Amino acid sequence: MTEPRDPKRAHAAIESYLSATKRIFQNIELDMDNLSDIFGADTGAVDYLRCDIYVQSAGDSSGCPIETDIEKLRSWHARIYSVFTEKTEAYVWNREPLSLFVNTRSKVPCISGQMVHGDSVSDEWLVVWLLHEMTKQFPELIVSVRDSDGEFLLAEAAMHIPYWITPENSQNRVFIFRGRLHIVPLSAASTTKLPDPEHILLQDALSAVVCPNVSTYATVLAERAAFARLEEFPDSMLQNLHTARCKLPTAIARLLACNPQLIAAATEMFYGRDPVQLKECQKMEGFSPEPSVTAMVRFNRVQYAKLVTQSIGALAAFNILPEKSADHKASLLGTKIACGFEILNREGARHPSTSKLHVQSGNERKIGMIYCMYICGGLCVLLILFGKSE
């Protein structure tokens, strides 16, 4: 057994790798507006959230009310990322954290965020709550947010929104600004003539939101309905987590101690396993079951439910304790997690170039593995840091 290196260096390596894979995630152009083109499936099969954060300019000679200077946006990106990280440091996301980046391809430069949240609607509303709070903390920020169903804030307030709003004309009309819900009215027309007079350009919509002479506030009833789910935060963050004892290979316990979010990748891989992948877990060549340690593992409740409801047969590499044993649950749950990491390791060897990864099916489980796959390529390298059985 090779002695593991300094845990601090290992943690730095993990963080560096995750940062690099996030850049790959952006380089392969995972554009949430064109998910059907990327996944070859209807966007309804992918539960995602997309947000755009615009910054009100602090006085520009061009007269533009929205900040377009890329360097200033990068500075704002750092501030926003810092706040997000601080408030969610102890949280475990079902699929992945919100990925924030400076979006220079947008019609109006902004800070964009995207996240596949899968079965966890709580993750989606946690992001909305964070964005809502951010617009109160930083009054310069204007936020638009949508998901795979479109303008979901309008859907929440469907009984109280103006009669004229339709899915066709709602684009560029719904924003969160200074903690309030704003709906740009039809009277705020674009400066450029458009084929459809009910549509509005993004730049013109943002100008209307920050203009004191244009009333864009949603009604109190509409705002209350749209933001009703935000009242459960931040308390529900802790309620959405579950901690359980797990008997794990030492290397995996160290990985999770360095980065608890890796449990998301392992869970999705085990949940979406196929018979061939499970057969490979009979040998556990990447993560030897021994030596092992019993550790407390933090889960998102959706992840925990997925693992405990999945059955697993006898595996030659593992000695799962009998049901009568007090440690049976820890042994069984740890085995499932270990199998998830083993599959990650195997798939990483098969797909060393994550930038060329393609989804060949519209199956939701395969789509859910996207995040797992761009993590798993680096697990082979991480094994060197932590040591493995010869």
Side-chain angles (χ1 to χ4, degrees):
M1 182 78 179
T2 305
E3 286 297 319
R5 297 184 181 180
D6 184 353
K8 291 184 178 179
R9 292 181 61 190
H11 183 270
I14 291 173
E15 292 301 322
S16 176
Y17 179 74
L18 292 178
S19 297
T21 52
K22 282 294 183 184
R23 289 194 292 274
I24 291 173
F25 183 73
Q26 294 165 21
N27 291 338
I28 61 174
E29 299 183 352
L30 183 56
D31 185 349
M32 292 301 184
D33 293 330
N34 297 291
L35 276 171
S36 59
D37 294 335
I38 293 174
F39 292 104
D42 182 77
T43 55
V46 186
D47 294 313
Y48 72 89
L49 175 139
R50 170 71 183 262
C51 66
D52 293 309
I53 306 170
Y54 305 93
V55 182
Q56 185 179 10
S57 176
D60 192 299
S61 58
S62 66
C64 176
I66 305 302
E67 187 61 71
T68 57
D69 184 276
I70 301 303
E71 288 305 315
K72 290 182 179 179
L73 286 176
R74 285 175 180 156
S75 177
W76 272 104
H77 170 269
R79 294 172 69 182
I80 293 169
Y81 177 80
S82 177
V83 173
F84 262 84
T85 303
E86 181 183 349
K87 291 190 175 183
T88 61
E89 183 178 9
Y91 191 72
V92 177
W93 302 87
N94 179 44
R95 289 282 182 88
E96 59 180 353
L98 183 71
S99 174
L100 289 166
F101 59 97
V102 176
N103 188 351
T104 58
R105 296 188 299 170
S106 173
K107 294 178 181 178
V108 177
C110 63
I111 299 150
S112 292
Q114 53 197 26
M115 176 184 77
V116 175
H117 57 81
D119 304 319
S120 181
V121 178
S122 293
D123 281 12
E124 177 178 21
W125 283 102
L126 171 56
V127 171
V128 177
W129 174 75
L130 289 166
L131 292 169
H132 181 261
E133 292 297 302
M134 200 95 58
T135 64
K136 292 189 287 186
Q137 181 177 353
F138 303 115
E140 303 94 333
L141 302 184
I142 309 164
V143 172
S144 70
V145 60
R146 56 198 176 278
D147 65 7
S148 46
D149 294 323
E151 299 284 357
F152 64 95
L153 291 179
L154 289 182
E156 292 293 313
M159 300 298 294
H160 308 288
I161 58 177
Y163 71 91
W164 54 264
I165 295 182
T166 66
E168 290 72 29
N169 66 18
S170 62
Q171 185 177 11
N172 299 334
R173 292 194 181 276
V174 185
F175 300 92
I176 304 172
F177 181 46
R178 298 181 179 177
R180 298 291 305 276
L181 180 66
H182 291 253
I183 300 176
V184 179
L186 286 177
S187 59
S190 285
T191 55
T192 303
K193 188 175 181 179
L194 299 176
D196 190 334
E198 291 193 354
H199 289 179
I200 187 170
L201 295 177
L202 176 58
Q203 177 67 60
D204 296 321
L206 292 168
S207 297
V209 170
V210 300
C211 179
N213 298 323
V214 180
S215 179
T216 59
Y217 290 111
T219 65
V220 173
L221 289 176
E223 183 176 81
R224 189 178 299 164
F227 294 152
R229 298 200 193 191
L230 304 188
E231 295 179 3
E232 62 191 60
F233 296 97
D235 295 343
S236 67
M237 290 177 65
L238 290 177
Q239 296 169 5
N240 201 38
L241 299 179
H242 181 82
T243 304
R245 291 174 62 251
C246 302
K247 183 184 178 184
L248 298 167
T250 304
I252 293 177
R254 288 174 179 153
L255 280 170
L256 289 173
C258 287
N259 192 326
Q261 185 58 42
L262 288 174
I263 192 64
T267 299
E268 286 303 317
M269 274 302 191
F270 180 76
Y271 186 72
R273 69 196 181 282
D274 59 38
V276 174
Q277 291 171 327
L278 190 58
K279 186 177 180 180
E280 292 172 343
C281 294
Q282 294 281 359
K283 298 180 180 179
M284 294 296 292
E285 294 179 348
F287 291 95
S288 174
E290 297 295 338
S292 63
V293 62
T294 299
M296 300 301 293
V297 177
R298 191 164 65 246
F299 302 87
N300 183 290
R301 283 192 175 274
V302 174
Q303 295 163 357
Y304 183 74
K306 284 183 175 180
L307 287 174
V308 298
T309 56
Q310 290 287 298
S311 60
I312 185 171
L315 296 174
F318 292 92
N319 179 25
I320 301 176
L321 298 176
E323 292 186 17
K324 294 182 179 180
S325 171
D327 295 324
H328 170 72
K329 289 184 178 180
S331 175
L332 184 60
L333 191 56
T335 298
K336 295 175 181 179
I337 294 172
C339 288
F341 272 99
E342 180 68 18
I343 295 170
L344 278 170
N345 182 51
R346 291 297 189 112
E347 294 301 318
R350 292 193 184 97
H351 303 276
S353 178
T354 55
S355 62
K356 296 180 181 179
L357 182 65
H358 298 285
V359 175
Q360 300 175 351
S361 166
N363 183 280
E364 186 174 6
R365 286 188 177 181
K366 296 294 184 183
I367 292 170
M369 291 180 189
I370 273 287
Y371 175 62
C372 310
M373 294 294 244
Y374 70 69
I375 286 178
C376 67
L379 284 178
C380 298
V381 177
L382 294 177
L383 282 172
I384 298 173
L385 292 171
F386 290 102
K388 56 171 287 187
S389 297
E390 297 296 335

